[in-house]
Amino acid sequence: MSVNKPIRRALISVYDKTGLEELARGLHESGVELVSTGSTAARIAAAGVPVTKVEELTGFPECLDGRVKTLHPRVHAGILADLRLDAHREQLAELGVEPFELVVVNLYPFRETVASGATPDECVEQIDIGGPSMVRAAAKNHPSVAVVTSPARYGDVLDAVKSGGFDLTARKRLAAEAFQHTAAYDVAVASWFAGEYAAADDSGFPDFLGATYARGNVLRYGENPHQGAALYVDGTGGLAEAEQLHGKEMSYNNYTDTDAARRAAYDHDEPCVAIIKHANPCGIAVGADVAEAHRKAHACDPLSAFGGVIAVNRPVSVAMAEQVADIFTEVIVAPDYEDGAVEVLARKKNIRVLRAPGAPAGRVEVKPIDGGALLQVTDRLQADGDDPAGWTLATGEALPAAELAELAFAWRACRAVKSNAILLAKDGASVGVGMGQVNRVDSAKLAVERAGEERARGAYAASDAFFPFPDGLEILTAAGVKAVVQPGGSVRDELVVEAAKKAGVTMYFTGTRHFFH
Ligand SMILES: NC(=O)c1ncn([C@@H]2O[C@H](COP(=O)(O)O)[C@@H](O)[C@H]2O)c1NC=O
């Protein structure tokens, strides 16, 4: 059985003073002697709780603007003595050092200082040295010491003190938390240094890539039922920390589809709805409002939209919710919901309703490969290539503004389609999507077939990368599309332009490619 270890003496040194007075008072009332650093001690004393300043203990003043406070053998011997060993207890007695049974520390706000845009010198000054040393020492010595790094644990501390201290199992758990705390802190410091100073080349990529995640949720399973899976969060918000307002637990595939859906919906400035299955759109549309956008997106491919994941770039209205409630939908994600909309959606027991404020914000993407990882800058719409103002007319009549806007919609919507991607659009809505084929001809055929004869005729077509031969384009022109937008840049561009000209179709080059795998 795990025996509780009474707490007689505590060392408290915290930057974040949240809950400090209550903690100090509670510890004192339970007979715990308190030792503390500069402003922590001042705050405790001001609350009327007796406290010994660490400099009284060390006989050495805190100095160098706080760079040296607790870095002293009288402090560290008191934390690190393994009280299970007679020899350690005897040495402490010889040295006149009292042991600590509790260490409460939280660290200088390094990450927050970097995020505030502070100067490098200011960031460096916020690298805590004494704090992590105490935390690591106490965590190492968990058989004798309990360590706490978060005000969220103060309640547990006060409960434990009243019931004779933490048992070994609890001290191990606290030590694990403490090492996670210092590891995440060090990764933040190392990553900042790598970004600021380490790279001797001009690649723009640091020579060290550190990231820390905390487990958010254990998922029922992964992509398939025989694969275990869990969600991890990096603390920056986004989809991983979306608020679930209704429905069953999110699954692994729900997360990947919802991520793709948000990426698609936020590519458009107007109210936009994207309906995604297996990370591909079965409909994307813009409208005067989200209800109209949803009607248009759903009409693209109602068969495939069954069991889809819907993302919206505006708050969901009651009118849109009424429409969605009639269709079997796995997930809906939006920045918010107008009054009454969640209640309408919640009529269906299983639909997962998520609130995730703001557009997807990731700046880089990391893809694991065997033995390593690839990192790339996240693909975003480009100011020049994705704005029709920067396009080149390759052949045909220049489109009037309204039609150019239609083609621009097709181009943006095509970015959400897995390569090779061909997307046909009309009236600000996708009408035929050819996705994920291993040649562009099949993608073109699929897009035309899904649109059907009537919708393909007069549609605006986009291709995520250049046509390597005229054959893919000819499928589109044969179906009667009105205009085509593609990056251009093939060695056979001339043949492709010639084919468009022959068919009397307008074609623009963007100069920008959007492969999506
Ligand atoms: N230098 C040291 O010896 C040292 N010892 C503790 N600290 C930190 O000082 C802070 C508390 O200081 P104060 O009680 O003065 O507000 C804590 O965040 C703690 O992690 C130190 N500061 C930086 O390294």
Side-chain angles (χ1 to χ4, degrees), residues 13 15 17 37 39-40 66-67 69-70 106 108 128-131:
S13 179
Y15 179 85
K17 310 281 193 288
T37 47
S39 69
T40 310
R67 284 187 172 205
K69 307 185 216 183
T70 54
N106 62 56
Y108 288 175
D128 201 324
I129 302 298

Side-chain angles (χ1 to χ4, degrees), residues 18-166:
T18 307
L20 176 62
E21 279 99 343
E22 294 81 348
L23 175 75
R25 198 169 296 117
L27 287 173
H28 172 66
E29 283 165 6
S30 295
V32 180
E33 183 195 340
L34 306 183
V35 177
S36 190
T37 47
S39 69
T40 310
R43 187 74 80 86
I44 293 172
V49 178
V51 58
T52 304
K53 284 190 195 170
V54 86
E55 45 195 12
E56 292 169 38
L57 182 82
T58 59
F60 198 90
E62 291 191 12
C63 60
L64 310 178
D65 297 322
R67 284 187 172 205
V68 178
K69 307 185 216 183
T70 54
L71 296 164
H72 193 282
R74 285 199 171 273
V75 173
H76 282 271
I79 300 173
L80 277 162
D82 184 344
L83 301 177
R84 295 171 302 181
L85 305 178
D86 291 342
H88 280 203
R89 287 202 307 275
E90 283 162 17
Q91 279 186 47
L92 282 194
E94 280 165 25
L95 295 164
V97 171
E98 289 282 327
F100 293 104
E101 291 87 19
L102 173 68
V103 169
V104 180
V105 172
N106 62 56
L107 310 178
Y108 288 175
F110 176 76
R111 266 171 294 208
E112 293 79 355
T113 306
V114 170
S116 74
T119 64
D121 275 354
E122 287 164 339
C123 293
V124 167
E125 208 44 53
Q126 290 302 322
I127 298 172
D128 201 324
I129 302 298
S133 306
M134 291 187 286
V135 171
R136 287 169 55 81
K140 172 175 175 168
N141 199 24
H142 60 270
S144 302
V145 185
V147 56
V148 167
T149 54
S150 164
R153 284 265 174 252
Y154 292 174
D156 296 347
V157 170
L158 295 178
D159 290 346
V161 165
K162 281 186 207 128
S163 55
F166 288 104

Side-chain angles (χ1 to χ4, degrees), residues 216-513:
N217 248 340
V218 177
L219 305 174
R220 273 183 71 208
Y221 50 76
E223 202 162 358
N224 298 292
H226 56 270
Q227 296 172 264
L231 168 76
Y232 283 80
V233 299
D234 65 9
T236 57
L239 173 61
E241 293 189 73
E243 188 186 351
Q244 186 162 356
L245 306 173
H246 175 75
K248 288 201 297 195
E249 239 181 67
M250 289 283 285
S251 73
Y252 181 95
N253 292 325
N254 288 157
Y255 274 114
T256 54
D257 284 347
T258 307
D259 207 33
R262 292 183 78 232
R263 179 186 192 273
Y266 278 97
D267 266 355
H268 302 270
D269 301 326
E270 308 94 320
C272 178
V273 170
I275 309 173
I276 298 289
K277 285 272 285 287
H278 295 279
N280 268 304
C282 32
I284 306 183
V286 292
D289 55 44
V290 291
E292 190 197 7
H294 175 250
R295 277 196 300 278
K296 286 160 67 176
H298 185 76
C300 174
D301 185 356
L303 180 74
S304 303
F306 183 84
V309 167
I310 298 177
V312 195
N313 66 352
R314 298 279 199 290
V316 172
S317 62
V318 172
M320 178 182 166
E322 292 282 1
Q323 290 165 198
V324 172
D326 288 339
I327 303 157
F328 169 51
T329 298
E330 284 269 335
V331 181
I332 179 165
V333 62
D336 211 346
Y337 294 81
E338 289 179 6
D339 283 352
V342 174
E343 289 70 14
V344 171
L345 292 165
R347 275 194 232 136
K348 285 271 165 68
K349 198 169 112 235
N350 290 337
I351 184 173
R352 299 155 179 91
V353 180
L354 299 187
R355 174 160 46 211
R363 288 190 305 114
V364 291
E365 288 165 2
V366 183
K367 187 185 171 90
I369 59 167
D370 186 31
L374 298 170
L375 182 140
Q376 67 169 347
V377 174
T378 301
D379 182 33
R380 296 265 180 240
L381 291 169
Q382 303 296 301
D384 43 3
D386 295 316
D387 184 337
W391 294 356
T392 310
L393 181 64
T395 181
E397 293 276 311
L399 296 182
E403 293 191 33
L404 198 56
E406 291 273 23
L407 195 62
F409 168 80
W411 175 247
R412 286 181 175 221
C414 189
R415 203 183 82 90
V417 182
K418 296 276 178 175
S419 303
N420 291 324
I422 299 285
L423 182 137
L424 306 188
K426 247 183 187 172
D427 299 328
S430 62
V431 292
V433 185
M435 68 279 277
Q437 304 300 301
V438 288
N439 67 70
R440 208 155 284 279
V441 179
D442 283 347
S443 294
K445 283 184 186 162
L446 196 55
V448 166
E449 187 191 315
R450 282 167 175 239
E453 248 179 63
E454 200 180 312
R455 292 197 298 182
R457 203 173 314 113
Y460 298 85
S463 173
D464 66 339
F466 64 60
F467 291 96
F469 298 96
D471 49 6
L473 175 84
E474 282 163 356
I475 303 284
L476 303 178
T477 57
V481 303
K482 185 157 197 182
V484 177
V485 59
Q486 58 129 328
S490 159
V491 288
R492 296 183 201 81
D493 268 356
E494 251 180 59
L495 297 178
V496 178
V497 169
E498 195 52 43
K501 197 173 183 177
K502 207 167 125 202
V505 161
T506 292
M507 185 156 70
Y508 284 91
F509 285 169
T510 64
T512 299
R513 183 184 78 186

Side-chain angles (χ1 to χ4, degrees), residues 201-220:
D201 58 31
D202 56 6
S203 69
F205 289 93
D207 57 9
F208 168 81
L209 178 66
T212 48
Y213 295 89
R215 198 181 72 200
N217 248 340
V218 177
L219 305 174
R220 273 183 71 208

